[in-house]
Amino acid sequence: MVSNLMKFVVSHKKIPILHVNNMCCSKMRASLQRLKSHVPLGRNYSSLPGLIGNDIKSLHSVINPPIAKIRNIGIMAHIDAGKTTTTERILYYSGYTRSLGDVDDGDTVTDFMAQERERGITIQSAAVTFDWKGYRVNLIDTPGHVDFTLEVERCLRVLDGAVAVFDASAGVEAQTLTVWRQADKHRIPRICFLNKMDKTGASFKYAVESIREKLKAKPLLLQLPLGEGKAFKGVVDVVNKEKLLWNPNSDDGKDFVRNPLLEMSDPELLKETTEARNALIEQVADLDDEFADLVLGEFSENFDLLPAEKLQTAIRRVTLAQTAVPVLCGSALKNKGVQPLLDAVTVYLPSPEERNYEFLPWYKGDLCALAFKVLHDKQRGPLVFMRIYSGMIKPQLAIYNINGNCTERISRLLLPFADQHIEIPSLTAGNIALTVGLKHTATGDTIASSKSSALAAARRAETEGGKKHRRNNEAERLLLAGVEIPEPVFFCTIEPPSVAKQPDLDYVLKCLQREDPSLKVKLDADSGQTVLCGMGELHIEIIHDRIKREYGLETYLGPLQVAYRETILNAVRATDTLDRTLGDKRHLVTVELEVKPVETASVMPVIEYAGSVSEDLPTASQEAIENGIHSACLQGPLLGSPVQDVAVAVHSLVIHPGTSTTMISACVSRCIQKALKKADKQVLEPLMKLEVTVTRDYLSLVLADLAQRRGTIQEIQTRQENKIITGFVPLAEIMGYSTVLRTLTSGSATFALELSNYEAMNPQDQTVLLGRRSGLTQVL
């Protein structure tokens, strides 16, 4: 309902925000009348909630609906499956936009960044709040491109349910697998929507089979399509045995009829639907004991007598238990099947109170929230998206950041509607809020009402959880699981137009890093240049474009380079002594250690201590040793790349009384570097998992090109009229591949990439690489 407050919010033009605090209904009507004349032309949003006719609802029910009526969901899928188009239709049918946005026309609500509209892809996840049949839905449209996987990860962390969108002609694609695994990790119940049923080559049966085989999920067919490809005209509701037909003369898909299937008019379709319903009942009964007892008892003779409500309740239980996934179908672009999808979201996906969070009892109703996304707004400053798990958030509220160990104050509270926001007086548990005024809160931070509240929750966690939750630091028990930030695979230098602009560039990069944790910025110790590290070519290209457009700063990028790693092949011992007098104080350290390879992949060095060293080692000295080891492993001897898959054993350590911890770190670091130089060294290169979709005509050309790129083909599958090539290719060989593939196949092929692992280079390729880099050292 609250999203209806956006009647006067249009496209990208900001309209003065309506303050709903203490505003009586007459003032609200007056404000609406005043603002009508100031609305510029563009996209229109529907009316204020409760202002339909003379029906005025209480502001409390508008802003804070009952928690059982809240649905926090995300739209996730492979790139080009139709996530953003589906979101646009959802907004239109729920009454919050008055025109249908189109990705190709660049007027979508959730893809509001200039780069998103130009490229037709989603880069940032966008939050949208709307109502549907008495339910409050907080929806997040997530990216499908592999370079922005972190965007999906951090949004799934705070969702209660998700809608997985599939291209009905392609079924499960490469990125679909990735986002599905992410949803599995966070144990999120899902609904599957087979989109693009109107597309040539669409196959309901093939798409369902790919869900079963590739995702290892059990699909529950709640709908059947009426026709496929150009013949697609509607869907059959299997649960209610009804036929839903959309008016072919309707431009917006709002006009459709729902008719029961009858023996007289649709004998064949009724028979097919009855068989599908009986199969669905048997499938659900196998997964749910309560439903099985019901079916075997009252309705064992005739499944037709089983009420639809009983079946829906059982489907909801198995969906929440994640033992099966409901499957629906339609065509978002052709405006068919979206309203039943919205109904399914409210019926089958969980409310916040139905998700089990073990940390909630510790807070006893006090504030507990997770900051899952940060945006920088030119006028308002940092905007922090928060999922509220318990308690309430209000403007001017002081909150305690457990991660940062600091207290901040929320100046304003907003409800998110893509790039438009409305101000609200409070928000309760289960909702997603947008806060203004938090200067230090970053992605993944846990928020509590106060430090004393956090400590009290920590004590309850220790008492109730026993050993399971015992950790060194009391606050650590309370930290909600943040997101795992992947290591960047590309890097390049970035320079401002002049030295005077360097502080401006540093500030911009700091803002972008806080907003996007997968972006890393480092300083090259040798050249003094700023190094930009990202998840892919597109990621760095978008960052460069945003610096120019959003911050008005022209920058120059150096050539893109691959983020290699290094390791060693044999164990090596080394000894080093640091003896230095500073003022009247002597600093003396002697260390002997061994560096050796480890079989299991480990990005961070494994540290071991001999018994004689660990006996009386002070904590400060141990921290200094570990800091020295970690800093030494950041820069390998071959390329200056990070060293991984190594273990360091400290055999002896002699520290003169009064020696500073800085000197201990320096000595250990120098000793590690000495050992690494003596060892047999190996370069590790990032290996990408590649999936290419190509027609039969161009298959041999693509395979020949991949062979030249040191690619390894895993398998070639057939999907409709296309061939799907899956394999592995070194990242260094795949740079600029999109242009080459378009040229080879006349623009008919598509591909998807995902980082697989780091693999040792063969000696010849390593020699060539070192020859190219000779005389140059890059620091990642």
Side-chain angles (χ1 to χ4, degrees):
M1 292 178 187
V2 178
S3 298
N4 275 346
L5 284 164
M6 291 181 224
K7 172 166 186 165
F8 37 85
V9 176
V10 286
S11 192
H12 279 55
K13 312 240 175 141
K14 307 287 183 193
I15 306 299
I17 290 172
L18 173 64
H19 292 264
V20 296
N21 309 46
N22 306 317
M23 182 181 281
C24 67
C25 297
S26 59
K27 284 186 178 179
M28 292 167 78
R29 286 200 193 93
S31 296
L32 281 171
Q33 291 300 320
R34 284 198 304 273
L35 283 161
K36 274 180 183 174
S37 60
H38 294 94
V39 175
L41 294 175
R43 175 180 285 269
N44 291 316
Y45 295 91
S46 65
S47 59
L48 196 64
L51 294 184
I52 300 166
N54 295 317
D55 177 27
I56 306 293
K57 296 182 181 177
S58 75
L59 284 175
H60 182 75
S61 67
V62 170
I63 292 162
N64 287 306
I67 194 166
K69 295 285 187 180
I70 297 174
R71 297 289 182 271
N72 293 313
I73 66 163
I75 305 283
M76 61 183 205
H78 182 86
I79 192 169
D80 283 341
K83 298 179 299 300
T84 301
T85 304
T86 303
T87 304
E88 283 296 316
R89 299 311 182 260
I90 286 172
L91 293 179
Y92 181 71
Y93 298 132
S94 59
Y96 289 89
T97 58
R98 289 186 176 176
S99 62
L100 288 167
D102 193 285
V103 173
D104 295 332
D105 294 341
D107 63 348
T108 55
V109 172
T110 52
D111 281 358
F112 53 82
M113 286 172 62
Q115 296 94 328
E116 292 178 314
R117 294 187 164 183
E118 287 173 7
R119 298 167 190 267
I121 63 170
T122 301
I123 294 167
Q124 285 192 341
S125 50
V128 186
T129 298
F130 63 89
D131 288 337
W132 178 256
K133 297 184 178 179
Y135 286 84
R136 164 66 44 78
V137 183
N138 296 312
L139 180 147
I140 295 180
D141 177 26
T142 61
H145 197 284
V146 68
D147 283 16
F148 309 108
T149 301
L150 181 69
E151 276 289 317
V152 184
E153 176 82 18
R154 63 180 171 183
C155 292
L156 287 177
R157 171 68 183 82
V158 298
L159 297 177
D160 299 319
V163 176
V165 179
F166 299 79
D167 181 335
S169 67
V172 175
E173 298 175 88
Q175 190 66 6
T176 316
L177 278 165
T178 303
V179 295
W180 195 268
R181 284 196 300 266
Q182 288 173 312
D184 280 340
K185 184 168 74 175
H186 295 294
R187 295 197 53 75
I188 294 173
R190 274 143 277 176
I191 287 176
C192 296
F193 180 61
L194 304 184
N195 192 25
K196 302 192 178 183
M197 285 302 304
D198 63 308
K199 187 178 174 181
T200 304
S203 170
F204 182 79
K205 186 178 178 182
Y206 170 80
V208 169
E209 201 56 38
S210 72
I211 290 172
R212 184 179 285 113
E213 288 181 7
K214 293 185 178 179
L215 300 179
K216 308 301 179 194
K218 293 178 180 175
L220 303 175
L221 305 188
L222 307 191
Q223 291 180 349
L224 298 174
L226 287 170
E228 291 178 347
K230 291 183 179 178
F232 178 69
K233 57 183 178 179
V235 299
V236 172
D237 183 341
V238 173
V239 175
N240 295 291
K241 292 208 284 191
E242 293 177 335
K243 180 169 62 174
L244 282 72
L245 289 173
W246 275 260
N247 185 345
N249 299 318
S250 171
D251 291 333
D252 62 3
K254 278 191 173 180
D255 187 13
F256 71 98
V257 291
R258 182 188 284 269
N259 295 321
L261 290 170
L262 302 172
E263 183 71 43
M264 294 173 61
S265 55
D266 299 292
E268 288 298 318
L269 189 57
L270 177 61
K271 182 184 176 185
E272 185 185 350
T273 306
T274 302
E275 289 173 0
R277 190 175 191 265
N278 291 346
L280 176 64
I281 290 170
E282 290 173 7
Q283 199 177 354
V284 175
D286 285 341
L287 300 169
D288 187 84
D289 293 339
E290 186 181 334
F291 184 67
D293 293 340
L294 179 71
V295 170
L296 293 172
E298 287 182 61
F299 307 103
S300 57
E301 298 298 322
N302 189 354
F303 285 172
D304 289 344
L305 299 176
L306 180 72
E309 295 77 21
K310 299 279 188 186
L311 180 54
Q312 285 177 334
T313 304
I315 293 170
R316 178 181 174 81
R317 281 199 301 269
V318 299
T319 304
L320 300 196
Q322 296 165 64
T323 50
V325 285
V327 175
L328 297 93
C329 61
S331 169
L333 187 64
K334 299 296 182 183
N335 313 313
K336 294 180 175 71
V338 178
Q339 295 95 327
L341 174 64
L342 271 170
D343 291 336
V345 164
T346 60
V347 172
Y348 301 119
L349 290 180
S351 69
E353 63 184 357
E354 289 172 302
R355 292 298 304 280
N356 182 31
Y357 298 108
E358 64 170 10
F359 55 82
L360 278 185
W362 307 340
Y363 285 88
K364 299 285 187 186
D366 283 347
L367 176 64
C368 172
L370 179 71
F372 68 94
K373 185 174 171 63
V374 178
L375 286 177
H376 282 267
D377 185 274
K378 288 180 182 176
Q379 281 77 36
R380 303 185 185 106
L383 305 177
V384 181
F385 284 81
M386 282 190 194
R387 164 66 195 270
I388 310 170
Y389 289 99
S390 69
M392 179 186 284
I393 287 182
K394 294 180 178 179
Q396 304 308 317
L397 179 73
I399 55 99
Y400 175 67
N401 183 328
I402 297 176
N403 300 64
N405 190 24
C406 61
T407 299
E408 297 193 81
R409 188 173 294 278
I410 296 170
S411 60
R412 293 162 67 196
L413 188 62
L414 308 171
L415 204 67
F417 189 88
D419 64 336
Q420 310 291 348
H421 312 111
I422 56 160
E423 193 158 347
I424 53 174
S426 66
L427 212 55
T428 53
N431 284 290
I432 289 175
L434 186 54
T435 60
V436 182
L438 303 180
K439 304 297 182 190
H440 306 291
T441 301
T443 298
D445 285 356
T446 304
I447 304 300
S449 55
S450 64
K451 189 168 185 176
S452 59
S453 167
L455 291 173
R459 286 192 293 273
R460 289 187 202 108
E462 188 170 2
T463 305
E464 294 172 21
K467 293 181 181 177
K468 181 180 175 183
H469 301 293
R470 289 183 195 277
R471 297 186 192 173
N472 296 332
N473 188 331
E474 269 197 330
E476 282 183 27
R477 279 187 292 277
L478 301 177
L479 299 182
L480 306 182
V483 292
E484 293 177 16
I485 300 169
E487 287 296 315
V489 292
F490 274 114
F491 69 96
C492 64
T493 56
I494 182 168
E495 294 180 359
S498 65
V499 177
K501 293 285 184 181
Q502 185 66 46
D504 294 341
L505 176 60
D506 292 340
Y507 169 75
V508 169
L509 291 176
K510 185 179 177 183
C511 290
L512 290 173
Q513 272 186 284
R514 188 176 168 202
E515 189 175 319
D516 178 6
S518 66
L519 173 70
K520 303 282 178 68
V521 179
K522 300 185 180 180
L523 192 67
D524 187 316
D526 296 327
S527 65
Q529 290 178 298
T530 304
V531 179
L532 205 59
C533 313
M535 299 306 299
E537 291 179 88
L538 180 62
H539 187 202
I540 288 180
E541 190 181 325
I542 294 290
I543 292 296
H544 185 223
D545 198 23
R546 288 186 64 193
I547 292 171
K548 180 181 178 182
R549 292 191 195 220
E550 296 175 26
Y551 296 92
L553 191 62
E554 287 281 356
T555 54
Y556 305 101
L557 293 183
L560 273 181
Q561 298 189 53
V562 175
Y564 292 100
R565 303 274 176 82
E566 298 178 30
T567 191
I568 58 173
L569 302 176
N570 61 324
V572 176
R573 279 200 182 212
T575 305
D576 200 1
T577 299
L578 187 148
D579 187 356
R580 189 168 299 172
T581 302
L582 297 175
D584 58 350
K585 207 173 202 180
R586 187 185 184 196
H587 301 268
L588 175 61
V589 188
T590 300
V591 63
E592 181 187 358
L593 49 78
E594 181 183 24
V595 182
K596 54 190 175 184
V598 292
E599 291 182 6
T600 53
S602 173
V603 177
M604 301 296 286
V606 179
I607 302 172
E608 304 164 357
Y609 295 95
S612 57
V613 175
S614 59
E615 280 176 9
D616 301 313
L617 189 64
T619 305
S621 299
Q622 184 177 334
E623 287 178 1
I625 291 168
E626 291 175 6
N627 287 339
I629 292 172
H630 288 141
S631 63
C633 290
L634 289 175
Q635 189 173 350
L638 285 174
L639 297 170
S641 300
V643 178
Q644 69 174 44
D645 305 341
V646 297
V648 178
V650 181
H651 289 292
S652 74
L653 180 71
V654 179
I655 304 173
H656 188 273
T659 301
S660 72
T661 54
T662 308
M663 293 298 177
I664 298 171
S665 293
C667 182
V668 170
S669 181
R670 198 167 70 178
C671 191
I672 293 278
Q673 290 284 359
K674 189 187 292 186
L676 291 173
K677 285 174 183 174
K678 285 164 64 178
D680 295 332
K681 296 165 282 292
Q682 172 74 60
V683 174
L684 304 174
E685 64 178 343
L687 197 66
M688 307 300 287
K689 186 176 182 182
L690 173 72
E691 183 180 285
V692 183
T693 305
V694 62
T695 57
R696 298 171 192 270
D697 302 341
Y698 297 107
L699 178 63
S700 56
L701 284 172
V702 172
L703 289 174
D705 180 64
L706 288 174
Q708 290 180 338
R709 296 173 182 272
R710 298 191 283 131
T712 306
I713 307 302
Q714 201 175 22
E715 62 176 333
I716 301 173
Q717 296 178 327
T718 301
R719 181 193 289 163
Q720 312 293 339
E721 299 301 314
N722 295 325
K723 291 289 185 182
I724 311 299
I725 305 166
T726 55
F728 298 94
V729 185
L731 179 60
E733 303 291 343
I734 213 77
M735 290 171 70
Y737 184 61
S738 54
T739 306
V740 175
L741 188 64
R742 276 198 302 269
T743 307
L744 278 177
T745 63
S746 302
S748 63
T750 59
F751 76 101
L753 277 176
E754 183 182 4
L755 179 65
S756 172
N757 61 294
Y758 273 81
E759 193 172 79
M761 292 184 81
N762 66 51
Q764 294 86 353
D765 294 324
Q766 181 169 317
T767 304
V768 171
L769 174 66
L770 294 175
R772 274 206 314 266
R773 295 282 191 94
S774 59
L776 298 173
T777 305
Q778 289 286 348
V779 178
L780 181 59

